[in-house]
Amino acid sequence: MNATNNTPAIGGVKLRNRVALAPMAGICDQTYRRLATAQGVGFVCTEMISAKGLLYHNEKTLRMLALAEDEHPVAVQIFGHVPEELAKAAQIVAQAGADIIDLNMGCPVAKVVKNGDGSALLRDVPQAAACIAAMADAVDVPVTAKIRLGWDDDSRNAVAVARALACLF
Ligand SMILES: Cc1cc2nc3c(=O)[nH]c(=O)nc-3n(C[C@H](O)[C@H](O)[C@H](O)COP(=O)(O)O)c2cc1C
């Protein structure tokens, strides 16, 4: 996060303040995000949305992408692990009006990590970097990554991951 004249911002996107609504699957639907915005959070984030689902025009997935006028600035979080797919998904998300696009690199749920998505990306830093690079090349809005300390206690590599991603820019 950078700040100019005390206004917090991510990339060029100005935020109302430094309090964010965290992405929460099953919680952060449009109604919840609008309530949080009305209550004064600095910016909101969607539930994680499947990149594959967006590419396959899955109806339920596309519904999750509906953004309201009064919830900006809004980050849309996607998950996946294939750079080309994530790049295309990022374009769909940008087209839908997202101010920021976040890549989920933290979800530990079995059905997500077994596909190489979510926190599984922390185990393959070059792959994680390739995903972020592809997304950032594909869109003009800021691309962020939500990471964990590491895959497990024996592999706490958050600093290495952050450095690898920051080095791309
Ligand atoms: C019900 C629930 C769903 C969540 N879904 C997501 C998600 O979709 N994407 C994500 O990056 N983190 C997800 N998280 C993690 C939160 O964004 C957050 O990082 C975590 O709850 C730690 O914050 P806390 O200490 O304030 O609870 C979820 C957490 C909860 C409790």
Side-chain angles (χ1 to χ4, degrees):
M1 186 171 298
N2 52 0
T4 314
N5 299 331
N6 292 329
T7 305
I10 292 177
V13 179
K14 286 186 179 158
L15 312 175
R16 279 181 298 273
N17 56 59
R18 293 176 183 277
V19 179
L21 174 67
M24 286 180 287
I27 309 281
C28 294
D29 61 9
Q30 191 191 97
T31 305
Y32 194 88
R33 298 193 306 268
R34 291 175 68 200
L35 280 171
T37 303
Q39 292 297 315
V41 303
F43 76 107
V44 295
C45 189
T46 65
E47 314 173 67
M48 61 178 183
I49 299 178
S50 161
K52 271 196 169 45
L54 291 174
L55 298 187
Y56 294 149
H57 306 292
N58 178 280
E59 212 175 297
K60 194 174 158 210
T61 308
L62 288 172
R63 265 204 304 275
M64 292 169 81
L65 191 54
L67 306 176
E69 273 182 20
D70 58 359
E71 63 169 308
H72 293 273
V74 54
V76 171
Q77 186 186 69
I78 59 176
F79 68 95
H81 70 281
V82 180
E84 298 74 22
E85 290 179 2
L86 287 165
K88 285 187 192 139
Q91 286 172 337
I92 295 170
V93 169
Q95 190 72 37
D99 300 297
I100 297 163
I101 304 176
D102 184 68
L103 179 61
N104 183 315
M105 292 194 194
C107 183
V109 173
K111 72 176 180 187
V112 171
V113 296
K114 76 166 192 244
N115 297 322
D117 303 337
S119 59
L121 281 171
L122 300 176
R123 305 173 91 176
D124 188 345
V125 180
Q127 181 74 10
C131 290
I132 290 291
M135 290 169 65
D137 277 350
V139 295
D140 290 330
V141 298
V143 171
T144 59
K146 184 161 176 281
I147 66 174
R148 285 182 177 271
L149 288 178
W151 170 259
D152 60 21
D153 277 345
D154 296 328
S155 52
R156 290 188 169 218
N157 62 348
V159 173
V161 172
R163 285 210 172 110
L165 302 187
C167 279
L168 297 170
F169 302 100

